Amino acid sequence: MPTEEELFANVDALLEEPPLPPPAERARLREAAGITQARLATALKSTTQTVKNWENGRSEPKPPRLEAYQRLLNGWATKYPAPTTPATPTASAPPTTPTSTPIEPPATPPPPAPVPESPAHPAASSPHPVGKPAQPTPRTATDPRFPHGPLAVLDGDGSAYAAHGIVLDCPATTIPQLVEWTLKESGLGAAPLHRHGKDADPLIALTASAATNLGLPERLEGHEQRRSLRLPEDHPVITQITRARWRLTQRGFGPWARIYRNAQGRDRQCVQLAILPWDALDARSWPGVTHMRPPDIARVLSTYATRVITPRGSTAVSGLELMTALRPPTRAVRDETTGNWIPGHNPGSLGTHPVDPAPPEATPEHPVVINSAWNKGFLDEEAYQWVRHTDLLSDEECLLPHAIGLDLNTAFLAASARLTVGLGAPEHLTHPTFNPKIPGSWYVDLSHIELDPRLPSPFTPTGTRPTGPAWYQTHTIAYAQELGHNIAPTEAYLRRLTGAYLDPWHDHLKNAYVATLADLGVTRDLNDAEFLTAMEHHKHADPGLAAVLTAIKATVKGGVGKLRERPQGRHYKPGERWPALERPTWRPDIRAAVISKARVNMHRKLTNMAKFTGRYPLAVLSDCVVYPSPGPSPTDLLPYAASGKPQPGAFRLGPTPGLAKLEGVQEMAWAVDLMEQGHNPARHIKGGDAVLDEGE
């Protein structure tokens, strides 16, 4: 609570300030200066509607805008005294932006109007010096329909914190009022990421105090998993929403809620809510964010929304939604009969209807498996979980002092680049001729292939040699052929309609990842020593941007995992369809293609490392590999040409997807001890008993 001295000091300060002029005089002074309401709103980090309210007497500014607005009006009053005859408006320089906002005090006044840019390519870098702490959301060009960015964080005092430090006054006291305000007054939203796509619905994140003020409970209680908890149908807030003729999606009112009415023409009427005290932001994907101040939460979420997508739920959900946003299922086509424009298939997309997988691509509980009594096995394309047998360790390796963990940056994202996948339904063939250009699942025996036992087998996630015929994705079989072995499939499920469906997704997320790392001081122009130093300190440069980086990585792995989302809930029975099957993006074959290519890429690097250095891995876990090393730095381990440049084909350090970074360093004896106990040192190499996120 404030002390009496503090209150009296604040009151005395107000008494010393002259009162604001009447509303009509405020408008006159602004017009005399030649400043529009929109430009004034931008300078004061407010909204045009708020400025209108000040000038028609409907509301008054509050600190810190009050002092800034008062100073501006006093300056204008001196420059443009009340005339006896109508004054001619005179152009003037824009007022200085106040620097008392909680975040992002700009170094220069904002531009009078944003310059439109393609929504599919938002600016990827911050205008502030790279690597400096507490960097704000990047200043990208704003769609004139959404001047205040994609989202806001609403606090209990009615302040809605948006991008670039803008603070909006939200008068809503109920959820329906909040939805109306968001759609009609907030100026929130985002343009589509593709010209055939749809606008992103505005997002309002509610702090604990804001949620309580709007009639929501502090916590959701129940015995199910927290992500499946929902408000009961008879809760007063649900009643308010229904009476106001708004609707909820089938998932109800949970940590992520969507409230909507049917679109009016091309204008969507939908608002997303993220209830922060209900764990809407998973701490694993958004480390530390829920404990930040509302302005900082807004900065983090706005940066992610600008660079990736306005959050639609978990990072996994957002990763999947991003695929559709960048490859919309439909586009406008002209009906040859009527001449009208109607929705038609957008080439390269997955369309609007779900496609059932082939039985070996499905999960055991899937209807295509249960109904066909399938018993020929399943595709087992998963990430590596392999440890070399200690009997295969040489004395020289055991005597090396260090074990070094190298982690590939967003390995699944790197694997999705230029990846040809099936876009349609599978076709069953018997005794097909293998074609590496056709995506699908092949039944073939690879057990005869003998490789160096000091390396994991590229054909199984356990790294063990296959024991008989099994189902493999095209990339796995193509790699066996690349290694010089004859391939004779006996059966296959292939997709003739193909395309690089994930290419835009890869490019978009790669740009987001690289730009965020650059803002944290990790840039492409660093040499290996500088890169390692920058990576050692990058998370401390700006915890908010570090959280964005973690969220981007979680978006990649979670999005790939969502392609094969399993049924949830204890009441599910095998053979029943579950909600995820009804979307076109339930595509386990695409997930298998990404993971197969990532595992093959890893094996190729492991093989080249052995060729260049004679060193073999101790263990691999997903995208992390542990090597014995003579020194504590990756530069003591990695191969370099005589010119000093890294050898192509092996592991290389760098900030882009597919390149490596240091995961951790431990003593070699520590790694051997874990291996003898049957544990994977890659799981713990980072220290603190770390466990890697392995995908789904």
Side-chain angles (χ1 to χ4, degrees), residues 35 75 81 87 97 123 173 179 191 200 222 265 272 305 397 486 512 530 617 635 686 692:
I35 303 299
T97 302
T173 58
V179 173
Q272 305 176 88
E397 288 176 316
N486 293 326
E530 293 169 337
T635 56
K686 196 171 185 177
L692 297 180

Side-chain angles (χ1 to χ4, degrees), residues 40 46 156 164 178 378 382 415 533 541 544 605 645:
L40 177 56
S46 186
H164 311 315
L178 175 61
F378 297 94
E382 301 293 340
T533 300
K605 292 179 186 296
K645 294 183 179 181

Side-chain angles (χ1 to χ4, degrees), residues 420-670:
T420 300
V421 300
L423 301 180
E427 175 187 351
H428 184 234
L429 294 90
T430 57
H431 299 288
T433 300
F434 177 69
N435 186 335
K437 296 183 179 181
I438 302 178
S441 303
W442 310 76
Y443 193 69
V444 63
D445 190 351
L446 300 179
S447 61
H448 64 284
I449 299 177
E450 185 173 356
L451 299 173
D452 193 319
R454 292 172 294 180
L455 294 175
S457 167
F459 310 127
T460 64
T462 60
T464 58
R465 184 173 173 175
T467 58
W471 291 96
Y472 300 96
Q473 202 276 335
T474 297
H475 279 88
T476 304
I477 304 300
Y479 189 57
Q481 194 176 64
E482 178 185 321
L483 294 175
H485 302 283
N486 293 326
I487 305 301
T490 58
E491 193 175 352
Y493 286 90
L494 307 180
R495 288 171 167 82
R496 303 293 182 178
L497 179 62
T498 66
Y501 173 71
L502 292 175
D503 259 9
W505 188 77
H506 164 269
D507 296 345
H508 190 80
L509 285 169
K510 176 184 176 181
N511 291 338
Y513 180 81
V514 172
T516 305
L517 262 182
D519 283 350
L520 290 167
V522 186
T523 56
R524 301 188 190 194
D525 58 344
L526 302 178
N527 62 36
D528 283 0
E530 293 169 337
F531 170 75
L532 291 171
T533 300
M535 286 298 296
E536 186 177 351
H537 302 289
H538 78 285
K539 290 186 177 180
H540 307 294
D542 184 334
L545 279 180
V548 173
L549 187 69
T550 301
I552 292 172
K553 292 187 287 186
T555 301
V556 173
K557 286 193 173 181
V560 172
K562 274 283 185 181
L563 291 168
R564 197 191 67 167
E565 183 177 356
R566 306 292 286 269
Q568 301 172 13
R570 55 186 175 179
H571 302 296
Y572 174 78
K573 296 179 181 179
E576 295 178 346
R577 294 187 69 85
W578 59 95
L581 300 186
E582 306 310 319
R583 66 178 187 235
T585 49
W586 197 87
R587 291 295 302 271
D589 56 299
I590 296 179
R591 173 187 177 275
V594 172
I595 297 177
S596 169
K597 185 179 175 183
R599 199 179 64 244
V600 165
N601 286 347
M602 173 66 83
H603 191 273
R604 192 178 283 113
K605 292 179 186 296
L606 297 173
T607 302
N608 287 331
M609 276 287 290
K611 180 175 67 175
F612 290 136
T613 68
R615 302 197 188 282
Y616 293 84
L618 301 176
V620 184
L621 181 66
S622 188
D623 46 12
C624 178
V625 56
V626 177
Y627 274 99
S629 173
S633 171
T635 56
D636 300 317
L637 169 70
L638 298 177
Y640 294 89
S643 63
K645 294 183 179 181
Q647 288 281 14
F651 293 100
R652 297 176 56 189
L653 298 175
T656 55
L659 298 187
K661 61 179 180 293
L662 176 64
E663 182 70 9
V665 182
Q666 301 288 345
E667 294 181 356
M668 181 63 180
W670 167 91

Side-chain angles (χ1 to χ4, degrees), residues 73 213 239 280 305 315 337 352 393 400 405 414 417 509 514 572 597 622 643:
L73 292 175
N213 289 350
T239 303
T315 48
T337 304
T352 58
L393 293 176
L400 290 174
L509 285 169
V514 172
Y572 174 78
K597 185 179 175 183
S622 188
S643 63

